[in-house]
Amino acid sequence: IDISRTVAGYQLQLEKVSMADYMKQIKTQISSLCLTKEIYLSMETGKDLGDCKIDRLLLERAIMNVVHNAIDYSPLHGTLTIKTRNTGTFFEISITDEGSGFSPEVLLHAQEQFFMGNKSRTSKMHFGMGLYITSSIIKQHKGQILLGNSDKTKGAEVLLKVPYEHFGD
């Protein structure tokens, strides 16, 4: 079902959302996940995040897909760093872990359907769809997803960008 929705495009249920309030709700979920995995959460929220017209549930799913991956790849007692900001053009959320980072191969293919960069991850919960679905959701919001490695932590860094001006008021 997810594959067909991703290929055909999700039906966005857009609504005007205060991004500061939205991120407070998301932070509660992320905090709970971090607690169960013994990961420290460092969350920095920029000033005046403004309002965006987004599909609350789909954007949450995109964010949580990245967060789940970051937690899975983080070392025990590591830190998950999340930063949000309003650039004037985009609402940005950066998610950085302290794992081993993306390999060059993963950076090339991570957003492809069924791509699983780490062959040791054979859990029944991983099908190589997380970043593909995230990418699809972000693109339908007319945004961008950028993958890289953090100079500071050497772990993976994912930047999700959703435009403010695209939807207007």
Side-chain angles (χ1 to χ4, degrees):
I1 292 172
D2 272 333
I3 295 167
S4 62
R5 283 185 182 153
T6 302
V7 170
Y10 290 96
Q11 291 288 70
L12 297 182
Q13 304 296 316
L14 298 176
E15 59 183 293
K16 189 174 180 178
V17 174
S18 160
M19 296 312 286
D21 292 342
Y22 183 73
M23 288 311 299
K24 283 179 191 170
Q25 294 170 356
I26 300 282
K27 182 180 181 182
T28 302
Q29 290 181 54
I30 296 170
S31 294
S32 296
L33 273 176
C34 286
L35 193 60
T36 62
K37 299 283 189 163
E38 297 185 52
I39 303 290
Y40 174 74
L41 175 62
S42 170
M43 192 150 176
E44 298 174 26
T45 304
K47 302 256 187 275
D48 188 27
L49 294 181
D51 296 335
C52 269
K53 278 196 177 174
I54 60 168
D55 183 308
R56 281 179 174 272
L57 294 176
L58 285 178
L59 187 57
E60 175 184 324
R61 179 162 185 197
I63 293 167
M64 294 308 291
N65 279 349
V66 175
V67 166
H68 278 282
N69 282 347
I71 289 173
D72 284 349
Y73 283 101
S74 290
L76 192 63
H77 306 294
T79 299
L80 177 66
T81 303
I82 298 178
K83 297 178 183 177
T84 59
R85 70 183 188 136
N86 175 349
T87 68
T89 305
F90 289 97
F91 167 74
E92 293 185 349
I93 178 168
S94 169
I95 301 164
T96 307
D97 65 46
E98 293 182 337
S100 57
F102 291 117
S103 70
E105 180 190 18
V106 170
L107 286 172
L108 285 174
H109 302 287
Q111 296 178 57
E112 295 172 7
Q113 197 172 326
F114 304 120
F115 181 78
M116 294 176 67
N118 183 344
K119 305 299 184 216
S120 68
R121 282 180 65 177
T122 55
S123 160
K124 293 178 184 160
M125 297 309 291
H126 294 283
F127 300 102
M129 292 295 295
L131 284 177
Y132 176 72
I133 290 169
T134 296
S135 178
S136 175
I137 291 169
I138 296 299
K139 285 176 182 170
Q140 277 200 263
H141 279 86
K142 306 294 186 219
Q144 302 169 356
I145 177 173
L146 303 171
L147 307 178
N149 292 318
S150 167
D151 291 334
K152 183 179 176 185
T153 70
K154 307 301 180 213
E157 186 169 23
V158 178
L159 178 64
L160 304 177
K161 299 171 69 169
V162 177
Y164 284 106
E165 81 281 355
H166 175 74
F167 297 109
D169 282 324

